[in-house]
Amino acid sequence: METMFWDKRNETMGRPALEALQLKRLQSTVRRLARRVPFYQEKFAERGLKPADIRTLADAQKLPFTTNADLRASYPKGLVAVGPESLARLHTSSGTTGKPKALFFSRRDVGNAADLMARCLTMTGVTRQDVLQNMMTYGLFTGALVMHYGAEKVGCLVIPAGPGNSEKQLLLMQDFRSTVLHITPSYALYFAGFLESKGIDPRRDLALRKAFVGAEPYTEETRRKIERTLGVEVYNSYGLSEMSGPGVAFECAQKRGMHLWEDNYLLEIVDPKSGQPLPDGQRGELVLTTLCREAMPILRYRTRDITAVIARPCACGRTHRRIDRITGRSDDMLIVRGVNIYPQQIEQVLMAIPEVGRNYVIQLEGLDEMTVRVELAEGGFDGQVSRLARLREEIGARLRAEILTKPKVELAPPGSLPVSEGKAKRVIDTRKL
Ligand code: AMP
Ligand code: ZN
């Protein structure tokens, strides 16, 4: 497939020019922060750091990290670098605990985020002919709005459906012939089950071609399952509110890692414990610095997302490096009976078993008891109880091989486990340890 570009000059810029641009933008960001933002002024003073000390991109390592806790502590004012007259939009990100984070955009920031999103969409072959059904949550969450603005910029017909209400989603898809979905992996799996229960074959009855799937971690197995059951090509979409939401990194038609727009973000991978930089190819925590943000620039944000840089050139011709699928967050590792487990390991095992359906929950309770509750696939139960017992055994054994501890496995009827409208809650931990 011939690749299309939204902004060919910037997307294919040679590495030396791209890095020179990054340095120029980094220096100007640091200068502005040193003039305007007390939080960074203090951090620079602690280190005896002056903007003039940033002479090369490697000097970025002299800059302080910004953490989730720093952003929470700055709520509700945010780490704003412009006057109130320049603020155009507020988003907040709540995460799971405590105070939210306030994230401000200027008019230029809003336009810029839409522009990066437009690059992403065009990169996958979306054009103004497409009808994009946006099934992410609208509101304070960045996910839906940034995609919405980007898709409008490309010239798509955008349907601001929001998540949930599958009956209505289906009607919209049928009546307006939606070709592209923007959706979380958990809702995509759920929705595929809904279509099946309605006797709808998406390849025969709908016009869907692509789905942009993100906002939560998911595995290759889940991607394949969504592709198979919704009859679409799935493109991985990565972003976070702190970095203006979706459109930070996105898969091209090669679908081998996500191009991260390096003219807008400085990309580092660090050891999550020591904070020391790791070489390309090694997995670690993604750290991002905004290079173009006006209202609220952020230096070296500790995303807590675990990934690796793919530095080899991509066949699509883009020079911006790719990041690998996010395999989890540095803070979502579970420790069960002394064993380190990432929820993604469990998902990978479950989604590769054909009899397993679309939803699962990991429950931790009591004194370190782990139960994995799994929905059966539609039509996966033929009434034979012995089949169920065998399946439970098999799931238990496969999980044990992957996570080195054998959880209790419970099978549940299709569609019976709770689905959330926003991000899925896969882990329920009520342990008293
Ligand atoms: P939010 O700030 O609410 O938009 O959440 C951002 C977080 O969602 C990221 O830091 C990731 O942990 C997660 N996330 C977003 N997109 C993806 C993706 N494609 N794969 C894995 N995790 C993702
Ligand atoms: Zn590419």
Side-chain angles (χ1 to χ4, degrees), residues 252 254 259 314-316 318 322:
C252 65
Q254 306 290 321
H259 288 285
C314 185
C316 76
R318 288 174 184 80
R322 286 166 290 167

Side-chain angles (χ1 to χ4, degrees), residues 125-192:
V126 165
T127 68
R128 50 188 309 152
Q129 310 292 337
D130 278 294
V131 178
L132 183 139
Q133 189 159 330
N134 198 355
M135 297 162 79
M136 291 276 185
T137 308
Y138 276 81
L140 286 167
F141 173 57
T142 46
L145 274 171
V146 171
M147 173 61 83
H148 185 113
Y149 275 56
E152 278 190 352
K153 208 160 196 174
V154 170
C156 303
L157 171 63
V158 187
I159 308 179
N165 199 345
S166 299
E167 294 278 357
K168 188 156 147 208
Q169 302 280 4
L170 174 57
L171 272 183
L172 290 168
M173 269 170 219
Q174 289 169 322
D175 292 346
F176 303 103
R177 307 300 293 160
S178 307
T179 57
V180 183
L181 305 181
H182 181 217
I183 191 167
T184 62
S186 47
Y187 190 36
L189 289 170
Y190 175 84
F191 190 72

Side-chain angles (χ1 to χ4, degrees), residues 93 141 214-217 236-241 305 326 329 423:
S93 170
F141 173 57
E216 16 176 82
N236 198 359
S237 155
Y238 173 78
L240 61 165
S241 309
D305 292 323
I326 311 285
R329 300 173 59 103
K423 301 190 187 225

Side-chain angles (χ1 to χ4, degrees), residues 75-370:
Y75 182 88
K77 287 192 178 148
L79 304 176
V80 169
V82 294
E85 70 288 350
S86 301
L87 299 178
R89 194 195 287 175
L90 169 72
H91 279 288
T92 68
S93 170
S94 49
T96 41
T97 48
K99 276 197 292 188
K101 288 160 270 183
L103 303 153
F104 292 94
F105 293 58
S106 69
R107 190 155 301 286
R108 203 179 80 192
D109 295 335
V110 169
N112 222 354
D115 210 54
L116 294 186
M117 201 72 247
R119 285 189 195 176
C120 299
L121 299 181
T122 308
M123 169 160 84
T124 70
V126 165
T127 68
R128 50 188 309 152
Q129 310 292 337
D130 278 294
V131 178
L132 183 139
Q133 189 159 330
N134 198 355
M135 297 162 79
M136 291 276 185
T137 308
Y138 276 81
L140 286 167
F141 173 57
T142 46
L145 274 171
V146 171
M147 173 61 83
H148 185 113
Y149 275 56
E152 278 190 352
K153 208 160 196 174
V154 170
C156 303
L157 171 63
V158 187
I159 308 179
N165 199 345
S166 299
E167 294 278 357
K168 188 156 147 208
Q169 302 280 4
L170 174 57
L171 272 183
L172 290 168
M173 269 170 219
Q174 289 169 322
D175 292 346
F176 303 103
R177 307 300 293 160
S178 307
T179 57
V180 183
L181 305 181
H182 181 217
I183 191 167
T184 62
S186 47
Y187 190 36
L189 289 170
Y190 175 84
F191 190 72
F194 169 80
L195 291 184
E196 198 178 325
S197 72
K198 290 267 157 191
I200 304 268
D201 172 355
R203 288 183 181 79
R204 186 192 61 206
D205 305 327
L206 300 173
L208 303 178
R209 292 192 300 127
K210 301 180 200 313
F212 302 136
V213 177
E216 16 176 82
Y218 61 109
T219 57
E220 273 308 315
E221 286 71 18
T222 297
R223 181 215 300 261
R224 281 197 285 274
K225 192 157 193 161
I226 299 171
E227 292 194 325
R228 205 171 54 239
T229 54
L230 278 184
V232 290
E233 291 238 41
V234 168
Y235 295 86
N236 198 359
S237 155
Y238 173 78
L240 61 165
S241 309
E242 296 82 345
M243 297 287 125
S244 305
V248 174
F250 215 86
E251 279 179 337
C252 65
Q254 306 290 321
K255 299 206 285 181
R256 299 260 169 86
M258 300 175 276
H259 288 285
L260 192 139
W261 300 122
E262 292 188 84
D263 56 341
N264 279 252
Y265 300 99
L266 187 69
L267 152 63
E268 298 170 77
I269 302 285
V270 305
D271 178 319
K273 286 213 178 69
S274 69
Q276 288 305 307
L278 293 174
D280 286 352
Q282 213 155 311
R283 294 197 91 77
E285 178 179 351
L286 177 66
V287 171
L288 293 173
T289 297
T290 65
L291 296 175
C292 297
R293 263 244 291 248
E294 196 173 47
M296 192 169 150
I298 298 180
L299 295 181
R300 304 189 81 201
Y301 184 64
R302 300 287 300 251
T303 67
R304 291 167 298 157
D305 292 323
I306 303 293
T307 182
V309 168
I310 304 172
R312 59 177 183 279
C314 185
C316 76
R318 288 174 184 80
T319 47
H320 302 240
R321 286 175 300 168
R322 286 166 290 167
I323 56 169
D324 205 354
R325 180 177 291 284
I326 311 285
T327 45
R329 300 173 59 103
S330 57
D331 55 358
D332 71 6
M333 186 182 77
L334 308 169
I335 304 181
V336 182
R337 295 178 210 139
V339 182
N340 298 349
I341 300 171
Y342 283 96
Q344 293 301 292
Q345 292 176 279
I346 296 181
E347 175 173 317
Q348 187 188 335
V349 169
L350 296 179
M351 292 300 147
I353 301 176
E355 293 89 347
V356 166
R358 303 179 168 83
N359 202 354
Y360 68 93
V361 174
I362 303 164
Q363 174 122 32
L364 300 168
E365 58 202 336
L367 292 169
D368 239 1
E369 296 305 319
M370 167 147 109

